[in-house]
């Protein structure tokens, strides 16, 4: 069941949100990743297996992605097959990070400082209207 929640965006983030094909999916992913980062690494909800370095299996049909065990996103089937042949978890993590470059990099702990800008006065048309209607 989906819950509808309203959020407030500034002008800059509103433009970014509008350009995304599925903003709700993006927000859900960010929340899951943030939650996974704040959890203890032992809090993975799925069964862990030794062959993946005591992490859960990264590709299970119709199971949600586990950001606790796989913080750089879900590795592709090709990457998993390559890992199973070579058993190098560091290479799998790096290749997954490269493959999922479009995901947020939560390792950087980047925060954006809010500025004290005055709120918009209605955009360019309103500004020009005020400018030319002055007496």
């Amino acid at each position: 069941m989906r819950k509808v929640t309203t959020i407030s965006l500034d002008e800059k983030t509103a433009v970014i949100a509008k350009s995304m094909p599925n903003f709700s999916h993006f927000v859900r992913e960010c929340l899951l990743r943030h939650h996974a980062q704040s959890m203890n690494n032992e809090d993975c909800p799925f069964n862990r297996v030794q062959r993946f370095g005591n992490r859960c299996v990264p590709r299970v049909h119709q199971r949600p992605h586990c950001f606790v065990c796989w913080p750089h996103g879900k590795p592709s089937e090709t990457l998993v097959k390559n890992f199973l042949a070579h058993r190098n978890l560091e290479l799998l993590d790096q290749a997954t990070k490269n493959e999922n470059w479009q995901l947020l990099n939560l390792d950087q702990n980047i925060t954006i400082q809010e500025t004290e800008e005055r709120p918009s006065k209605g955009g360019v048309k309103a500004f020009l209207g005020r400018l030319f209607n002055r007496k």
Side-chain angles (χ1 to χ4, degrees), residues 63-128:
R63 186 180 81 189
H65 176 72
C66 173
F67 283 107
V68 173
C69 293
W70 304 99
H72 302 300
K74 184 184 285 190
S76 67
E77 190 173 333
T78 303
L79 290 179
V80 172
K81 286 179 182 177
N82 190 36
F83 164 76
L84 292 172
H86 297 94
R87 302 282 185 192
N88 188 329
L89 200 52
E90 280 185 40
L91 284 178
L92 177 62
D93 282 340
Q94 188 57 47
T96 300
K97 187 174 184 176
N98 292 340
E99 186 176 75
N100 295 323
W101 61 269
Q102 76 282 3
L103 296 179
L104 293 176
N105 185 353
L106 297 181
D107 294 341
Q108 294 177 357
N109 291 325
I110 294 175
T111 58
I112 297 174
Q113 186 89 18
E114 293 206 17
T115 60
E116 290 190 27
E117 293 181 10
R118 293 189 325 212
S120 171
K121 301 288 186 193
V124 174
K125 285 183 180 178
F127 172 76
L128 293 174

Side-chain angles (χ1 to χ4, degrees), residues 3-120:
K3 296 275 186 182
V4 176
T5 301
T6 303
I7 62 170
S8 297
L9 302 173
D10 59 16
E11 290 178 18
K12 186 184 233 179
T13 55
V15 170
I16 296 168
K18 195 169 199 134
S19 71
M20 298 182 123
N22 191 339
F23 181 65
S24 293
H25 173 78
F26 172 79
V27 171
R28 286 191 298 271
E29 179 183 311
C30 288
L31 289 170
L32 288 170
R33 290 170 62 90
H34 173 75
H35 179 68
Q37 186 182 36
S38 66
M39 289 173 63
N40 183 338
N41 197 31
E42 299 300 316
D43 291 336
C44 169
F46 308 113
N47 292 333
R48 293 174 172 218
V49 294
Q50 191 58 42
R51 70 179 177 187
F52 286 105
N54 203 27
R55 298 180 187 182
C56 64
V57 178
R59 299 195 60 85
V60 175
H61 184 64
Q62 292 189 342
R63 186 180 81 189
H65 176 72
C66 173
F67 283 107
V68 173
C69 293
W70 304 99
H72 302 300
K74 184 184 285 190
S76 67
E77 190 173 333
T78 303
L79 290 179
V80 172
K81 286 179 182 177
N82 190 36
F83 164 76
L84 292 172
H86 297 94
R87 302 282 185 192
N88 188 329
L89 200 52
E90 280 185 40
L91 284 178
L92 177 62
D93 282 340
Q94 188 57 47
T96 300
K97 187 174 184 176
N98 292 340
E99 186 176 75
N100 295 323
W101 61 269
Q102 76 282 3
L103 296 179
L104 293 176
N105 185 353
L106 297 181
D107 294 341
Q108 294 177 357
N109 291 325
I110 294 175
T111 58
I112 297 174
Q113 186 89 18
E114 293 206 17
T115 60
E116 290 190 27
E117 293 181 10
R118 293 189 325 212
S120 171

